Amino acid sequence: MKCIILAAGYATRLYPLTENFPKPLLEVGGKPILDWLIEDISSVNGPDGTPLAEQFITVSNAKFAPIFEEWAAGDSRIKVIDDGTFTNETRLGAVRDIQLGIDSCGTDDDLLVIAGDNLLSFSLSGFLDYARGKGTSCVMRFYEPDTEKLHKTGVAEVDADGLILSMEEKPAEPKSHWCCPPFYYIVKEDVPKVAEAIASGCNVDAPGSFIAWLSGRTKVHAYEMPGRRYDIGNLESYREVKRIWGE
């Protein structure tokens, strides 16, 4: 399995902290956000007893790529990809950044795609076990009671087995309360479909748009999260996470 880390955003809502520094490398609990995610994923072994994740492809923008390169120095598992953009206005969009990662690592393996600016109160090991057990591409889901928040995220309808029946990104009229954060397991058979989705006019800005497109064409299951996800989107949410994890 390869892991693609989406880290090409400019985090303008976190200025001045992120004006000249990438959000995924902000420290929480004494280490960068990305270190928490990579250490957790690295602890998950495959059937042969070796780490399931063979490589971590971190997709950055051109402005922050040198900082990511310095962070990754000495760890042969981490490869930093520069998407060539310098401003928030010229960003490629998350789906195109996923395709850049695929172009780098190929289509011969399953992919775990994660947002590099999120922290989880639980291990991803359960999600990875779930995805391998289903044998399909999978996403995570959590119940969101606040309808206003549903308008700003991917929302899925699922059956009793967790199969996605429909999914919509930022729906005007949500059909359920199941939110799907940007943590995706894409089986190798579905990896080439990212390029197909882009070519067909999929909204490239939101990664959930690809999952909505994919779930309309093949089976995609949704794993119910056993804990909380912390989306570090602004200064207030960053301060909250630091209170929970420690400075």
Side-chain angles (χ1 to χ4, degrees):
M1 181 190 81
K2 307 292 196 310
C3 178
I4 294 177
I5 301 169
L6 300 177
Y10 291 87
T12 56
R13 290 183 295 159
L14 270 162
Y15 279 13
L17 288 181
T18 54
E19 192 165 4
N20 294 296
F21 194 79
K23 177 169 57 168
L25 296 185
L26 290 175
E27 288 203 355
V28 173
K31 55 188 174 185
I33 294 166
L34 267 186
D35 283 11
W36 287 102
L37 292 166
I38 289 176
E39 287 175 13
D40 175 45
I41 296 166
S42 298
S43 70
V44 182
N45 291 332
D48 62 357
T50 61
L52 186 64
E54 300 171 352
Q55 189 177 34
F56 295 89
I57 299 96
T58 303
V59 184
S60 168
N61 57 54
K63 180 178 180 180
F64 294 141
I67 301 174
F68 279 107
E69 291 280 7
E70 183 178 355
W71 160 76
D75 192 333
S76 60
R77 303 170 305 162
I78 302 176
K79 181 178 183 180
V80 177
I81 302 295
D82 177 352
D83 77 356
T85 72
F86 285 91
T87 67
N88 190 55
E89 292 70 29
T90 60
R91 66 189 185 279
L92 297 184
V95 182
R96 286 201 183 102
D97 281 336
I98 293 172
Q99 185 59 49
L100 276 182
I102 293 170
D103 292 341
S104 170
C105 69
T107 60
D108 59 348
D109 209 346
D110 293 354
L111 291 181
L112 174 66
V113 178
I114 67 171
D117 58 357
N118 284 218
L119 281 171
L120 304 171
S121 69
F122 58 95
S123 173
L124 282 166
S125 59
F127 175 54
L128 295 173
D129 288 343
Y130 175 89
R132 288 183 290 163
K134 290 295 185 185
T136 68
S137 293
C138 293
V139 302
M140 297 203 301
R141 61 183 163 115
F142 67 92
Y143 187 86
E144 176 52 69
D146 188 339
T147 302
E148 287 304 312
K149 291 182 179 179
L150 295 174
H151 296 314
K152 303 174 183 179
T153 186
V155 178
E157 289 184 288
V158 300
D159 69 11
D161 189 46
L163 179 69
I164 293 180
L165 303 175
S166 73
M167 181 171 168
E168 187 176 0
E169 186 70 21
K170 299 180 180 179
E173 297 183 7
K175 295 179 181 179
S176 83
H177 286 268
W178 290 116
C179 289
C180 298
F183 287 83
Y184 311 140
Y185 191 95
I186 306 174
V187 294
K188 64 181 180 181
E189 294 82 6
D190 290 342
V191 171
K193 292 183 173 68
V194 176
E196 292 178 30
I198 294 171
S200 72
C202 168
N203 175 13
V204 297
D205 285 332
S209 297
F210 166 67
I211 298 299
W213 181 93
L214 181 66
S215 64
R217 289 158 177 80
T218 190
K219 288 184 177 181
V220 179
H221 285 85
Y223 168 78
E224 186 172 354
M225 293 164 43
R228 185 176 174 185
R229 162 216 179 203
Y230 296 89
D231 179 11
I232 302 169
N234 53 35
L235 288 169
E236 182 181 353
S237 59
Y238 180 50
R239 293 189 189 105
E240 179 190 6
V241 168
K242 286 174 73 71
R243 285 195 300 269
I244 295 168
W245 259 263
E247 294 293 323

